[in-house]
């Protein structure tokens, strides 16, 4: 790994970050039950259901349903070139895969809800011709030829944004691309491989950072913090770790403590003296981490900051089978959150990430 910047927070600086961090990072609503796309079905075009709806009561019901909204994650590009999830309210529909793709198109329906400093990823003028979900969890997305009209440096960002936006739905495991009905083995400009499909396992915002032999490594995704004006948000970053590291949970914690790469605009929220005192324990989807007192940073004793807790939970629940995180310090579970609430229960991944208004 390359040398990384370590951020030592003074109390005023960290307090400022935490104050900003409390504004709109995670939604507090109860989990919304996702409407899974039907399998082996091509979605109808937007508006078709309303056009065919009969008048009277049935038509009124359809119009009422059209006004309902649901929170979805759209992966957009921030001013620094990172692909970042942003939670937005979209009209409720059964054609969820087609809808979220349409909201990734530049100058499309997402235009009026883009956060400051963010842009959509799919070239303007692109039409989503259809989507189809195979039995193995592969979602095929078919785009019009305008899809090819992007800058070469955006190619991997586009592919990552499409894959990560679609795989927010549990029954979508990977994504394949078609253009005007033709399967694409590679992306059209820089020839980034697609082959059998792209998944979250392929990473996002990849960092190779000084890895001498990438063939003997595997990916681990962690979440750092970025700032846009007065708003703080979380950014997923995939790093390569040695295949000699058999415990990906411990590897993720190590990368979080190491912090962002040297020169990065991202912020690490862990103090460099934080460390695990024991190997992570995993049982029935729950991970237990036992830290030294370095986990508190500049906070008062027993108080764990929101940004530290959120970075840990987001990072670890990216791993298969991890559903929640429990934290102890020196073997004791007497931690409290910033608002003074006891941290007595395992912390699960939030339903929505980066939900702030900009």
């Amino acid at each position: 790994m390359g040398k990384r910047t370590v951020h030592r927070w003074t109390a005023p600086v960290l307090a400022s970050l935490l104050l900003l961090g409390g504004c709109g990072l995670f939604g507090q609503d109860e989990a919304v039950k996702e409407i899974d796309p039907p399998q082996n079905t091509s979605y109808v075009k937007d508006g078709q259901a309303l056009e065919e709806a009969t008048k009277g009561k049935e038509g009124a019901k359809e119009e009422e349903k059209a006004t309902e909204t649901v929170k979805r994650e759209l992966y957009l590009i921030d001013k620094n070139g990172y692909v970042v999830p942003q939670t937005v309210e979209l009209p409720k529909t059964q054609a969820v895969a087609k809808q979220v793709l349409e909201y990734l198109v530049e100058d499309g329906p997402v235009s009026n809800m883009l956060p400051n400093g963010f842009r959509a990823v799919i070239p303007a003028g692109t039409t989503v011709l259809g989507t189809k979900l195979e039995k193995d969890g592969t979602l095929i997305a078919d785009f019009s030829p305008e899809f090819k009209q992007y800058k070469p440096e955006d190619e991997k960002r586009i592919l990552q944004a499409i894959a990560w936006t679609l795989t927010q739905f549990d029954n979508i495991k990977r994504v394949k691309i078609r253009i005007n009905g033709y399967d694409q083995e590679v992306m059209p400009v820089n020839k980034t491989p697609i082959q059998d499909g792209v998944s979250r396992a392929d990473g996002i915002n990849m960092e190779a950072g000084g890895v001498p032999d990438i063939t003997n490594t595997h990916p681990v995704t962690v979440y750092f913090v970025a700032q846009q004006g007065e708003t703080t948000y979380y950014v997923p970053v995939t790093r390569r770790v040695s295949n000699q590291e058999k415990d990906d949970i411990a590897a993720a914690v190590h990368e979080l403590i190491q912090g962002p790469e040297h020169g990065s605009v991202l912020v690490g929220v862990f103090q460099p003296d934080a460390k695990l005192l024991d190997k992570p324990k995993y049982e029935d989807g729950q991970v237990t981490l036992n830290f030294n007192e370095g986990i508190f940073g500049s906070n008062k004793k027993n108080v764990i900051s929101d940004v530290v807790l959120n970075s840990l939970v987001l990072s670890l629940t990216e791993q298969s089978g991890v559903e929640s995180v429990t934290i102890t310090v020196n073997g004791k579970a007497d931690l409290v959150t910033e608002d003074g609430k006891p941290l007595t229960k395992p912390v699960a991944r939030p339903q929505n990430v980066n939900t702030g208004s900009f």
Side-chain angles (χ1 to χ4, degrees):
M1 291 286 176
K3 182 179 179 182
R4 304 193 179 104
T5 302
V6 176
H7 298 265
R8 296 180 180 271
W9 298 103
T10 62
V13 174
L14 184 56
S16 174
L17 175 61
L18 299 183
L19 178 62
L20 294 173
C23 300
L25 294 175
F26 292 155
Q28 300 300 318
D29 298 337
E30 292 183 0
V32 178
K33 184 178 181 181
E34 299 290 1
I35 301 176
D36 292 332
Q39 296 195 2
N40 293 326
T41 303
S42 296
Y43 297 111
V44 297
K45 295 182 179 180
D46 282 3
Q48 182 176 333
L50 291 179
E51 292 172 0
E52 296 177 353
T54 58
K55 296 181 179 180
K57 292 183 179 180
E58 291 184 3
K61 289 181 180 179
E62 289 294 336
E63 185 175 354
E64 181 180 350
K65 288 181 180 179
T67 64
E68 296 178 5
T69 62
V70 64
K71 292 180 179 179
R72 302 295 186 201
E73 284 184 2
L74 302 179
Y75 281 76
L76 307 170
I77 300 176
D78 75 357
K79 66 176 183 178
N80 302 305
Y82 289 107
V83 181
V84 180
Q86 292 290 339
T87 299
V88 298
E89 295 271 358
L90 300 185
K92 197 170 185 179
T93 177
Q94 289 188 342
V96 292
K98 185 172 187 288
Q99 181 192 53
V100 293
L101 289 175
E102 291 171 338
Y103 274 81
L104 294 183
V105 178
E106 292 184 79
D107 298 333
V110 74
S111 298
N112 294 329
M113 59 180 65
L114 281 174
N116 291 336
F118 283 78
R119 60 184 174 93
V121 298
I122 297 176
T126 301
T127 299
V128 182
L129 300 178
T131 60
K132 182 179 180 182
L133 183 62
E134 304 287 355
K135 290 183 178 180
D136 65 352
T138 300
L139 191 287
I140 301 172
D142 193 1
F143 298 100
S144 66
E146 290 81 1
F147 180 79
K148 302 177 182 180
Q149 298 171 2
Y150 58 81
K151 296 178 180 179
E153 60 268 27
D154 278 342
E155 181 166 281
K156 290 184 179 179
R157 295 168 182 156
I158 292 170
L159 195 55
Q160 291 168 7
I162 291 173
W164 283 65
T165 296
L166 288 171
T167 53
Q168 71 184 282
F169 305 110
D170 289 341
N171 57 348
I172 299 178
K173 306 303 180 185
R174 66 193 63 83
V175 178
K176 296 183 69 174
I177 304 295
R178 284 179 181 170
I179 298 178
N180 211 28
Y182 292 91
D183 290 337
Q184 305 295 303
E185 295 295 323
V186 297
M187 288 287 281
V189 178
N190 272 357
K191 311 305 179 184
T192 300
I194 301 173
Q195 297 173 342
D196 295 330
V198 178
S199 71
R200 292 197 174 203
D202 293 296
I204 186 169
N205 299 316
M206 296 292 297
E207 289 183 358
V211 176
D213 182 7
I214 198 171
T215 60
N216 289 320
T217 65
H218 62 277
V220 170
T221 297
V222 294
Y223 283 72
F224 296 119
V225 170
Q227 196 164 342
Q228 170 67 30
E230 295 184 350
T231 303
T232 304
Y233 56 92
Y234 294 94
V235 178
V237 172
T238 301
R239 286 182 171 164
R240 308 293 304 189
V241 299
S242 171
N243 285 340
Q244 295 180 356
E245 176 57 76
K246 304 300 182 182
D247 188 338
D248 281 351
I249 294 173
V253 174
H254 174 75
E255 295 301 325
L256 284 172
I257 294 173
Q258 288 289 301
E261 286 191 325
H262 179 71
S264 172
V265 299
L266 300 180
V267 177
V269 295
F270 283 77
Q271 293 295 322
D273 58 345
K275 66 177 181 179
L276 289 172
L277 298 179
D278 305 299
K279 292 183 179 180
K281 296 179 181 179
Y282 174 84
E283 184 176 2
D284 297 330
Q286 179 182 328
V287 169
T288 300
L289 305 172
N290 184 33
F291 284 94
N292 67 350
E293 293 186 359
I295 192 70
F296 297 135
S298 60
N299 281 341
K300 297 178 181 179
K301 186 176 182 181
N302 294 353
V303 177
I304 186 168
S305 74
D306 290 343
V307 287
V308 168
L309 181 61
N310 293 337
S311 293
L312 272 172
V313 173
L314 285 171
S315 300
L316 297 186
T317 54
E318 279 294 342
Q319 299 189 19
S320 177
V322 178
E323 299 173 358
S324 62
V325 179
T326 295
I327 298 174
T328 63
V329 175
N330 294 325
K332 297 180 180 180
D334 55 354
L335 281 71
V336 295
T337 60
E338 288 180 21
D339 56 5
K341 295 180 180 179
L343 196 62
T344 57
K345 296 181 179 180
V347 181
R349 187 183 184 89
Q351 180 70 18
N352 306 115
V353 182
N354 295 336
T355 60
S357 58
F358 293 75

